[in-house]
Structures are given as structure tokens and as C-alpha cells.
Amino acid sequence: MSNYIWVPIIVGVLAVAFAGYLASYVLRKDTGTPAMQKVADAIFKGAMAFLNRQYRTITILSLVAAVVVAAVLYLLSNGDGATKFDLAWRTAIAFLIGAFCSGVSGYIGMYVAVKSNSRTASAATRSLGEALMVSLRGGAVSGFLVVALSLLGVSLIFLLYSIGNNIDKVPSLIVGFGFGASFVALFAQLGGGIFTKAADVGADLVGKIEAGIPEDDPRNPAVIADLVGDNVGDCAGRGADLFESTAAENIGAMILGVALYLATKNPGWILFPLVVRAFGLIASAAGLLYIRPSVVVEPDKAAGRDPGEIAMKQLNMGYYITCAISVIGVFLGSYLMLGGQSVSSNTVPAWVWFGLAGTVGILLSIAFVFITQYYTAGTWRPVREIANSTLTGPATTIITGMAVAFECTALPVLAIVSALGLSFFFGSQVTIPISAAINPGVINVGGIFGTAVATMGMLMSCAYILAMDTFGPITDNAGGITEMGGEAESVRDITDALDGVGNTTKALTKGYGIGSAALAAFLLFSAYLDVLYSYKHNPAVYRVDLANIEVFIAALIGLTLIFFFSSLAIRAVGDAAKRMIEEVRRQFRENPKIMAERVEDRVDPDYARCVDISTRGALRAMILPGVVAVFTPVVIGVILGPQAEAGLLMVGTMGGVVLALVLNNGGGAWDNAKKYIEAGYLRVNANGEMVDRNDPNGTVLGKKSEAHMASVVGDTVGDPFKDTAGPSLHVLIKLLSTITLVLAPLFIALHP
């Protein structure tokens, strides 16, 4: 065993300690006025109550799944009794550890995020810089914990399973860790997404449009459920999503490294993904620490600049620093681990080619940041186009939003295929002396590993990206607490600006997640074919032939699964939202004092009832799409065999990537078109035509205008797109891969 294994373990422990430091920084901050604390306490209780109920359900499902996986592998895989038993118990234990770590990372991160809400609201009464620091560092607790626990989990289980085993056997034994993480993430993301959007749709449609009250108004019975939903969907759900992303993609890259280790006897090929990810944690910490209150320009000194633009510039600068240090890390890791005399290239050393491949992945992450900002930020054409379409009503708002959603697939896909092609080219420049017993030479192993290095490069900034993502719900809740706590308009201006930035950063994270999923799709697909070859030793496994009727059937089912799964997720939001709308209307109708003219005559609505409706709706509705997602690839592999399973995996993944782009960016564009209008940027001339947002002669169409109501409808359509179905597809894409990797022995045994 190489000493390199201690690098990710040590860095992972230090990252957990760093997350503890960030948590103490946030928790020491002032919690605000008694009114702020009252709202924050209600959000905290609602969020923890939902997570407790959700994870009880997920725990039961996980235990059942672990037993089933162990039984299937023991009864139906190849080998003698001892070999089958060893594979079964190790896979099941790895599954449970992955599931546990995934749940814990989401749980702890959400706890600190919820505790950051009132502290951010309180900081906003003092300065933009302090509010930005509190919200970003609160989000970074989740980011660093998720990535550190993923890195520690994979590294430690690899170390433990190496005892008594050759290290080339271990990556296939620990693949259950990725499956467990994916399994939990799917239900966590689904449940959280359904909860948050059921509450959001109910609060918006009845509160804003029917009752004509502002967002986060304390008179709205669904407002607490909406604020709770931001945390359970965007903090816990996204944390579990990126935990399983980093775990599954790490293990897939390690499986690809096995063939190269067998050819060169250099364990660096297997351990490289773990070490380069450890460099990524260091880079993310440096980027985060760059942002200090002293570098943030306050609105009163910004010569009229939008506070949101000021905050976004600082977040981007921290991200660029993270990426720059990551480039150094990937070259250093390649030099230390992937060189040596056993590999060769033309005139450029082998480690340089792999360093370039990793840099391609880092550049892809930056490209996704720019592309996602272009399609979801109000400073660019797509969002302004949707805002303009609100002038003619909800129908044109939806039509334009769908056009933007479909359009936004082109640039990301071009970026993905360019990154795959370039990284494969760089890796293929390295010649590795590999025998046909390990790999028949049908594919270029150096090129495939180049794409794996690119994937690891993209994941290096994961902790910083997740910090920006969790920053979103923290600032959203801070705005709600400020509104419900009756703070001054100047304070709400700061929280509104940060909330608008948070909408963009949440969209960036979704873009980042689907970009890394697309890169990893090829990585995990190649790992699956390597596993098939290790059992069958037949070069034909590397050829997935769509002219084969079984492969074609499976591929078509895989593509259909993506759309059917999304339908179930969106329908679940619609059903739960109907119950929420009926409840909010009932409370307004039966208790008129909620809307009393005089503040002293008002009574609080029944917030707890709305939280309970979202909770029950989410827990009930997450089961069916989750079960469909898990069982479809299993049934295909059992009935049609491993080659057909490869067809399902390949085409299903492609469809999932494209549809997730449509749902994520389309929903984000609708949301920010609404925010664009609420910020007072939609101006029209005397003919009712949209003009520049800074045109002094233009008439502002803001909140409560017809255009605003149309934008709320568009945002409502986009809500389940971007926060339920889209993010859940990220998980589904990787779940398909991890299931096929875990159950490959079963498919081969049934179809020898």
C-alpha cells in the first residue's frame, strides 16, 4: 500500500476541522432581534422535524436495499462460496457506510445553514460585507463537510478493505459505498425538492396573486413551510447529491486505474483521484478565505452599483482563486503519481499530458459558471427576454421560458463534448504497456484515464461550489426573517440583493452538478465495461451495438425512464401544491383576522399545519419515483443481460444530462425574470415596450403589476423543474451507473 493513501485522510480530517472553525465563526454571531429569533426558531423546528421523519423512512429503505444486494450477490454471483460471501458482505457494509455518511453530511450542513439564517439577517443591519461573510461561511460548513466526509469515507474504506486483499481488487469491493450514497441522495433530493416546491407554489399563487401580499409576509400561512423547504431541498438535498457525486466518480476513476496499476505496478493510478481531490479541498479553502469584509465594497460607496453585482464579483473572485490553485494541484499530483519509467509519450512527459487533461476539467467548470450565469442572471438576454414576455401575459411568459430552456442545452453540451474530446486526446498521448489479459486494446486506456483526470479536475472546486449553493437558501431565509421581523427597507435591500445572487449561485451549482455528471457518465460507463471484461475476458464487451435488438430496447427504456421519472417528480409537486393552496385559502376564508387592516388586530396563521402538509406530501410522493429509478436498471440487467444494461446506461445518461439542463436553467431563468421585475428593473416606454432598466424616462412595472403576476406564474412552472426534477436527475444519472457496477456480477452470472 502506498503512503499516498494518507494524504486524503489527513487533508480530510483537516477539512472537517476547518468546517468546525467556520461553524464556530457563524454561531458566535449575533442572532438578531427577538422577532428575528422567533421566525428563525420556527424554521429550525420545521426543518429538523421534516429531516427526522424523512431520514427514518430512508433508513428503513436503505437497510432493506443492503440486505437485498447482499443476498443477490451471495446467491447469484460467480465464484465459490467464500468468494461470493466476501463480495456480498463487503458490498453491503460499504453500501451502509456510504448511505450513513451521505445522510450525516446533509444533516449537519443543514443544521448550521439554518442557524446561519437569523445571523445573516442580523449582519445585514450592519453591512453588506458582514452579511456576505456570514452567509457564505455558513454555506461553506456544508460544502467542506460534504466533500471531506466523501473523501474520508472512500479513503478509509479503501484502506480497511486493502487488509488481506490486493489493492487492484479493492475498488470493485467498495463500489457499494457509491451506491449507498446515490440511494440516499435520490430520496433526500426528491423528498426535499417536493417539500420545498409544494410550499413555494402555494405561498406564491395564493399569497402574491390572490391576496396581493408580499413574498415572506407573516400573514401567509405557507411562508414558514416555504422557508423550511429552502433548507431541506437546497441544503440537505444538494449536500447529499454532491456527496454521492464525489464518491461515485472517485470510485469509478479508481476502477479505471486498476488496469493501469496492473500494467505498471504503480499504485498512484488507483490513488490519484483521492489525492487530487485532497488538493481541491486546500484550493477551496484558499478561495473562501480570500473573501473578507474588507474586500467588499459597501452599497453607499459603490457609486450606484447594484449590491448583488458587488457580492457576485467577490464570490467569482474566490472561485477563480480556487481554480488557479487547483491547476497547480492537478499538475503536482500528476508529476508525483503518474510519471515513472513504465509509461512513455513523445517529447512531452506523461505527467504533463495528464495535468493538461485535469486542467480541461477545471476550465469546463469555469465555462459552466459563465454559461449558467448567462442563462439565469438578469444582466443577460435570456432572463430579460422572459421579463419582456411578461408584458403580454402568463402564456407568452411560459412559451418564452420554454424556448430559453431548450436553447440552453446547446452551449453546455458543446462544452462537455469539447472537454471529453480534449481530455481523451491528452490522455491518449501517453503509451502504457498493457497486456491483453488486463485490457484487449479495443479502447485507448490512456485516453479513458485522461477523461477520468478531467472529471477529478472539475470536482476539485466542489467544496467552494457547494458553499455558494448553500449560500442561496441562507440568504433567502435571511430575507424572509427580515421581512417578517419588520426590519427597515435598507436592510431588506441588502438581503434582497444577496437573495438574487443566491438564485444565481444555486443555478450555478446545478449546472456544475450536471457538468460533472456528464463527464463522469463516460468515466462510469467505461468502468462498467472494464468490470465486464474482468469477468468475461471477451473484447466484445467494449462494443455496445445499437443494431442488437436487446441493446436497442434497453436504450429506449433508459431514455424513457428519464422522462417518466421527471413526470413523477413534477406531478408529486403539483399534487402536494394543490393541498397547500387549498389549506392557505381555507385559513384566509375561515380566519379573516389573519388579514386584518390594523396590525394589532391580526392573529398568526397556522404555520405548523402547512409544514405538516408539505412533509406528508413529500414523504409519500418520493417513494414511487425512487423505486422506479432503482428497479428499472435491475430488471433490464436481469432480463436482457449486461450488454443491454450498457445500452440503457449509455443512452439514459445522455438523455438525463440534456433534460436536466432544460429543467435547471429553464427554471432558473423564470425565477430570475420574476426577481428582475421585483427589483424594479422592468421599465416600459409610453407605448408599453420594454426599455433599458436604467432609462430615466421609463415607467417601472414592479410588484403587483400585471407583468409581475405573469412572472409569478412562470416562476411557479419553473419551480418543480429547477428544484425537484432537475436536481433529482443528477442523482439518477449516477445511480444508474453505481447500480450497474454493483450488480454486474449478477447480470454476468445470469447471462454468461
Side-chain angles (χ1 to χ4, degrees):
M1 172 64 68
S2 169
N3 289 330
Y4 286 127
I5 188 62
W6 295 106
V7 173
I9 293 174
I10 293 169
V11 173
V13 170
L14 291 175
V16 171
F18 183 63
Y21 158 73
L22 296 174
S24 67
Y25 168 87
V26 172
L27 296 176
R28 286 197 306 268
K29 291 292 182 179
D30 175 54
T31 55
T33 64
M36 287 180 177
Q37 293 174 32
K38 178 183 176 183
V39 179
D41 188 54
I43 296 169
F44 176 76
K45 288 178 179 176
M48 297 309 289
F50 172 75
L51 272 198
N52 288 336
R53 289 173 63 176
Q54 183 188 40
Y55 276 106
R56 279 200 299 270
T57 304
I58 292 175
T59 299
I60 294 169
L61 293 170
S62 298
L63 290 171
V64 171
V67 171
V68 170
V69 167
V72 165
L73 290 178
Y74 178 69
L75 295 173
L76 297 173
S77 61
N78 287 330
D80 57 32
T83 302
K84 293 195 291 186
F85 180 73
D86 188 62
L87 176 65
W89 79 260
R90 288 181 187 273
T91 302
I93 294 298
F95 177 94
L96 291 174
I97 294 173
F100 176 77
C101 289
S102 178
V104 166
S105 60
Y107 210 100
I108 296 174
M110 197 215 69
Y111 177 90
V112 176
V114 173
K115 290 294 185 183
S116 304
N117 299 339
S118 61
R119 290 165 171 82
T120 300
S122 175
T125 64
R126 295 183 289 275
S127 72
L128 171 66
E130 187 180 346
L132 178 64
M133 285 286 291
V134 173
S135 52
L136 182 62
R137 291 195 169 189
V141 174
S142 176
F144 280 86
L145 268 180
V146 164
V147 179
L149 286 176
S150 167
L151 191 61
L152 279 172
V154 175
S155 301
L156 289 173
I157 198 169
F158 181 88
L159 187 63
L160 289 173
Y161 280 16
S162 297
I163 299 172
N165 276 307
N166 294 326
I167 65 169
D168 57 292
K169 305 292 184 187
V170 179
S172 294
L173 294 175
I174 67 173
V175 73
F177 184 94
F179 182 24
S182 298
F183 187 87
V184 168
L186 183 70
F187 288 101
Q189 185 65 73
L190 268 173
I194 294 166
F195 182 107
T196 182
K197 291 304 106 179
D200 196 3
V201 170
D204 278 359
L205 289 183
V206 183
K208 286 184 180 179
I209 292 184
E210 294 183 11
I213 55 179
E215 186 170 6
D216 300 327
D217 192 295
R219 292 171 290 177
N220 193 327
V223 68
I224 294 294
D226 185 14
L227 296 173
V228 168
D230 290 330
N231 295 286
V232 298
D234 288 326
C235 296
R238 193 83 67 257
D241 173 7
L242 286 180
F243 178 93
E244 67 88 22
S245 288
T246 54
E249 290 157 25
N250 247 354
I251 295 168
M254 293 168 78
I255 291 173
L256 290 178
V258 166
L260 306 180
Y261 161 74
L262 292 173
T264 63
K265 302 306 177 188
N266 173 13
W269 298 102
I270 296 176
L271 298 177
F272 177 80
L274 299 176
V275 174
V276 82
R277 288 267 322 290
F279 278 124
L281 272 171
I282 296 170
S284 295
L288 185 80
L289 291 175
Y290 161 79
I291 299 172
R292 306 176 305 281
S294 59
V295 302
V296 179
V297 180
E298 292 301 321
D300 59 350
K301 299 176 183 177
R305 279 174 55 208
D306 179 3
E309 292 179 10
I310 297 169
M312 194 71 227
K313 181 180 178 182
Q314 294 306 315
L315 296 181
N316 284 340
M317 187 60 68
Y319 182 63
Y320 298 146
I321 290 170
T322 298
C323 289
I325 298 174
S326 294
V327 170
I328 297 170
V330 79
F331 272 100
L332 182 61
S334 300
Y335 173 74
L336 293 174
M337 303 180 72
L338 304 184
Q341 301 300 315
S342 54
V343 297
S344 61
S345 59
N346 297 328
T347 55
V348 179
W351 63 269
V352 173
W353 289 117
F354 287 120
L356 290 171
T359 303
V360 167
I362 295 167
L363 292 175
L364 178 64
S365 69
I366 295 173
F368 260 90
V369 167
F370 278 110
I371 292 169
T372 308
Q373 282 192 36
Y374 175 73
Y375 280 108
T376 60
T379 48
W380 303 97
R381 173 192 60 84
V383 167
R384 292 182 178 184
E385 199 171 72
I386 297 173
N388 189 19
S389 69
T390 63
L391 297 173
T392 48
T396 49
T397 303
I398 293 170
I399 291 169
T400 306
M402 287 303 301
V404 168
F406 290 140
E407 176 196 327
C408 75
T409 58
L411 288 178
V413 168
L414 288 174
I416 290 165
V417 297
S418 299
L420 279 173
L422 270 176
S423 58
F424 186 92
F425 169 77
F426 290 143
S428 66
Q429 301 306 299
V430 180
T431 302
I432 300 166
I434 197 161
S435 69
I438 301 169
N439 186 289
V442 174
I443 56 172
N444 187 304
V445 290
I448 296 293
F449 197 77
T451 66
V453 175
T455 306
M456 293 304 105
M458 187 166 188
L459 287 174
M460 289 179 79
S461 57
C462 185
Y464 190 90
I465 287 286
L466 192 52
M468 288 205 297
D469 179 71
T470 311
F471 163 89
I474 291 173
T475 54
D476 193 345
N477 276 200
I481 290 169
T482 302
E483 177 86 33
M484 297 180 75
E487 291 299 313
E489 191 66 29
S490 60
V491 179
R492 181 72 205 210
D493 286 344
I494 288 178
T495 57
D496 276 351
L498 292 177
D499 183 20
V501 173
N503 275 337
T504 301
T505 59
K506 286 189 289 184
L508 295 181
T509 308
K510 296 183 184 85
Y512 177 87
I514 200 60
S516 66
L519 276 187
F522 189 69
L523 180 162
L524 295 170
F525 179 67
S526 301
Y528 174 66
L529 297 182
D530 273 3
V531 170
L532 294 187
Y533 184 76
S534 70
Y535 278 91
K536 290 197 168 189
H537 298 288
N538 181 355
V541 300
Y542 287 100
R543 300 299 186 197
V544 182
D545 185 3
L546 282 172
N548 181 321
I549 186 62
E550 292 177 344
V551 174
F552 185 87
I553 289 169
L556 188 57
I557 290 173
L559 185 58
T560 304
L561 170 64
I562 298 301
F563 285 86
F564 184 63
F565 173 85
S566 300
S567 166
L568 292 174
I570 293 170
R571 181 179 287 113
V573 172
D575 291 343
K578 286 179 197 172
R579 289 189 287 273
M580 183 67 70
I581 289 168
E582 290 165 0
E583 173 61 21
V584 174
R585 286 173 176 167
R586 182 194 67 79
Q587 290 198 35
F588 281 148
R589 184 174 61 250
E590 296 180 6
N591 194 349
K593 288 187 176 181
I594 292 174
M595 296 290 289
E597 287 291 330
R598 297 197 311 165
V599 175
E600 55 269 27
D601 293 337
R602 291 176 188 167
V603 297
D604 287 339
D606 187 353
Y607 301 124
R609 172 72 178 156
C610 291
V611 172
D612 187 59
I613 285 173
S614 265
T615 300
R616 286 187 286 111
L619 295 181
R620 183 169 55 244
M622 74 179 186
I623 302 297
L624 179 59
V627 169
V628 168
V630 170
F631 277 99
T632 300
V634 176
V635 171
I636 291 298
V638 167
I639 296 175
L640 298 179
Q643 288 301 105
E645 184 76 5
L648 176 140
L649 179 57
M650 180 172 60
V651 177
T653 298
M654 292 176 183
V657 167
V658 173
L659 184 58
L661 287 169
V662 170
L663 297 173
N664 290 340
N665 288 347
W670 267 313
D671 191 356
N672 273 352
K674 178 194 72 173
K675 287 282 192 292
Y676 186 86
I677 294 172
E678 289 177 344
Y681 293 147
L682 178 61
R683 293 172 181 257
V684 295
N685 59 22
N687 297 322
E689 298 166 336
M690 182 176 173
V691 295
D692 186 85
R693 70 182 192 179
N694 296 316
D695 188 337
N697 298 318
T699 302
V700 175
L701 297 181
K703 295 179 180 179
K704 298 187 180 181
S705 65
E706 291 291 329
H708 179 238
M709 291 182 182
S711 74
V712 171
V713 174
D715 176 43
T716 302
V717 174
D719 273 341
F721 281 26
K722 68 181 175 65
D723 288 325
T724 308
S728 297
L729 281 177
H730 303 176
V731 187
L732 176 59
I733 291 167
K734 270 99 65 177
L735 183 71
L736 292 176
S737 298
T738 53
I739 287 177
T740 53
L741 284 170
V742 167
L743 296 181
L746 167 65
F747 305 151
I748 293 164
L750 294 176
H751 299 269

